[in-house]
């Protein structure tokens, strides 16, 4: 087994969104791209993933890339035999765990895995810790509007009805600059640093892979959502609301779900949130609570710096 960092991944079309050329190009040199090869002679990888590696004040950090729900880890199988596929996955995971442990031995690590990956044994054997986070996955394939509405909370249905009665104007792929500004303002008002250049790149260059939904009232932008697509899912990458009105936020997500359904994806992924109010809002759309693993390695200095930053920011 050989692991190495490569400049680009093999055959973009085979990969999910968070390994795509579009996504990788939206991030800078701190994005690392890892391909796992089964042997020295193999020219095609058995797995690809990305992570964000940087150094601050003498401390290394390896984290999930900004705006991504996970590291994009994806396996490329060349056989239908279940045992062979499982063995390749196990070997790839062990190789990744060993690579991270050897290359970043004292780093702070917080790397999310896709929900479908349940085997974290190789990481535990490499003495990484683990934690569990959650997202909501809403099945939208072959579901009617009535099906989707019936599974929402009564509060969320009311939000949508109220918005429709007030005659909000909904637009697809409109005014990228205004959308980015609204997202930026919304995030910064909550103390979250926004990735303006990354978001602008994805919206402007992501034709066929990224779309936006905007809600206007009297030509004034009220709420917006940025959605990414691959073959299986639509992902809620980012969003913003000018005013704290649940109706505008509900309407923009509802229309995003309906627009995503046109692209024949199976699920709409809300990408989760640790904020209780946001979690409750997402939950109201009727998605299934879905766990995913995070691979953790603590660094005392990094944790101290992060804690100090939070304290100073209060």
């Amino acid at each position: 087994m050989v692991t190495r960092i490569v400049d680009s991944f093999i055959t973009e079309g085979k990969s999910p969104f968070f390994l795509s050329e579009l996504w990788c190009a939206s991030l800078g040199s701190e994005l690392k791209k890892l391909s796992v090869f089964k042997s020295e002679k193999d020219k095609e990888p058995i797995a690809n993933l990305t992570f964000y590696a940087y150094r601050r004040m003498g401390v290394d950090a390896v984290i999930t890339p900004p705006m991504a729900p996970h590291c994009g880890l994806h396996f490329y199988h060349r056989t239908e035999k279940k045992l062979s596929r499982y063995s390749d996955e196990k070997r790839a995971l062990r190789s990744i765990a060993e690579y991270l442990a050897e290359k970043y031995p004292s780093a702070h690590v917080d790397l999310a895995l896709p929900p479908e990956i349940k085997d974290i044994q190789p990481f535990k054997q490499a003495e990484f810790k683990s934690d569990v986070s959650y997202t909501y996955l809403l099945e939208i394939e072959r579901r009617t509007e009535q099906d989707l509405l019936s599974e929402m909370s009564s509060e969320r249905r009311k939000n949508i009805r109220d918005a429709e009665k007030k005659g909000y104007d909904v637009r697809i792929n409109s005014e990228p600059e205004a959308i980015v500004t609204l997202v930026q303002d919304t995030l910064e008002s909550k103390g979250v640093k926004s990735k303006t250049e990354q978001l602008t790149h994805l919206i402007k260059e992501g034709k066929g892979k990224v779309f936006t939904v905007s809600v206007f009232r009297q030509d004034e932008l009220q709420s917006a959502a940025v959605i990414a697509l691959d073959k299986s899912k639509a992902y809620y990458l980012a969003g913003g609301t000018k005013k704290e009105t649940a109706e505008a936020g509900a309407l923009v997500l509802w229309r995003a779900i309906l627009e995503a359904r046109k692209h024949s994806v199976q699920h709409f992924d809300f990408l989760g949130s640790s904020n209780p109010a946001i979690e409750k809002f997402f939950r109201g759309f009727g998605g299934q609570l879905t766990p995913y693993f995070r691979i953790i390695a603590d660094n005392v200095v990094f944790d101290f710096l992060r804690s100090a930053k939070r304290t100073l920011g209060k």
Side-chain angles (χ1 to χ4, degrees):
M1 174 81 65
V2 177
T3 57
R4 68 177 185 269
I5 305 277
V6 296
D7 293 331
S8 60
F9 296 126
I10 307 265
T11 313
E12 179 191 352
K14 293 182 180 179
S15 298
F17 179 80
F18 296 103
L19 294 178
S20 69
E21 183 179 342
L22 170 70
W23 172 257
C24 292
S26 74
L27 293 155
S29 60
E30 292 176 327
L31 179 74
K32 306 302 178 184
K33 299 182 286 187
L34 187 69
S35 287
V36 182
F37 293 82
K38 195 171 181 178
S39 71
E40 291 278 2
K41 296 180 180 179
D42 280 1
K43 295 182 179 180
E44 295 186 1
I46 58 172
N48 282 339
L49 74 152
T50 65
F51 55 89
Y52 214 57
Y54 62 93
R55 190 174 180 84
R56 296 290 186 273
M57 299 182 68
V59 180
D60 288 323
V62 175
I63 63 172
T64 305
M67 288 179 57
H70 50 68
C71 66
L73 179 58
H74 183 71
F75 299 111
Y76 301 91
H77 294 294
R78 303 173 211 168
T79 176
E80 295 299 321
K81 293 182 179 179
K82 288 185 178 180
L83 181 58
S84 295
R85 291 162 70 97
Y86 175 77
S87 296
D88 283 349
E89 290 179 10
K90 176 72 79 172
R91 292 166 69 182
L93 290 167
R94 184 173 293 113
S95 182
I96 293 165
E98 291 172 355
Y99 172 88
L100 292 174
E102 291 172 7
K103 189 170 180 65
Y104 303 98
S106 59
H108 165 83
V109 178
D110 190 341
L111 198 62
L113 300 177
E116 61 269 20
I117 295 178
K118 310 298 184 186
D119 184 5
I120 60 169
Q121 186 182 55
F123 294 99
K124 286 187 170 293
Q125 290 170 342
E127 299 186 350
F128 286 95
K129 299 177 183 178
S130 64
D131 199 357
V132 180
S133 292
Y134 298 88
T135 185
Y136 281 98
L137 292 181
L138 178 65
E139 187 175 354
I140 60 177
E141 188 178 35
R142 294 187 294 274
R143 309 295 297 282
T144 67
E145 289 187 30
Q146 189 55 46
D147 290 337
L148 295 169
L149 284 168
S150 67
E151 293 181 359
M152 288 186 193
S153 67
S154 58
E155 181 183 10
R156 209 58 65 239
R157 287 196 300 270
K158 183 178 185 302
N159 293 152
I160 294 169
R161 286 197 305 269
D162 289 346
E164 291 174 340
K165 287 177 182 177
K166 291 182 180 180
Y168 285 97
D169 180 23
V170 181
R171 305 174 193 174
I172 307 297
N173 296 329
S174 70
E175 304 177 28
E177 292 80 6
I179 292 170
V180 171
T181 299
L182 179 59
V183 172
Q184 180 182 16
D185 291 346
T186 302
L187 291 176
E188 291 181 355
S189 71
K190 298 176 181 177
V192 179
K193 187 177 180 181
S194 62
K195 292 288 183 179
T196 303
E197 292 183 4
Q198 181 186 5
L199 195 58
T200 300
H201 172 86
L202 291 171
I203 294 173
K204 290 187 174 181
E205 305 299 326
K207 185 177 181 181
K209 293 182 180 293
V210 175
F211 68 85
T212 65
V213 181
S214 304
V215 169
F216 291 82
R217 195 171 188 188
Q218 297 178 345
D219 283 330
E220 184 176 350
L221 182 61
Q222 300 295 315
S223 187
V226 182
I227 312 298
L229 298 163
D230 59 24
K231 290 184 177 180
S232 63
K233 290 180 183 176
Y235 305 89
Y236 175 59
L237 282 185
T241 302
K242 190 169 186 179
K243 298 178 181 179
E244 292 298 325
T245 54
E247 59 192 30
L251 181 62
V252 81
L253 269 175
W254 172 234
R255 292 299 181 89
I257 290 167
L258 295 182
E259 184 67 21
R261 202 175 51 143
K262 298 176 184 178
H263 294 269
S264 301
V265 295
Q266 185 175 359
H267 289 102
F268 188 96
D269 191 339
F270 289 87
L271 299 196
S273 176
S274 59
N275 182 300
I278 297 175
E279 183 275 334
K280 179 184 177 183
F281 185 75
F282 287 165
R283 180 173 10 118
F285 286 89
Q288 181 176 356
L289 185 66
T290 304
Y292 60 91
F293 286 110
R294 287 169 35 230
I295 305 305
I296 308 289
D298 296 320
N299 179 285
V300 175
V301 176
F302 184 93
D303 290 342
F304 171 78
L305 292 173
R306 183 169 56 178
S307 177
K309 182 178 180 181
R310 286 175 183 158
T311 301
L312 291 171
K314 290 182 179 179

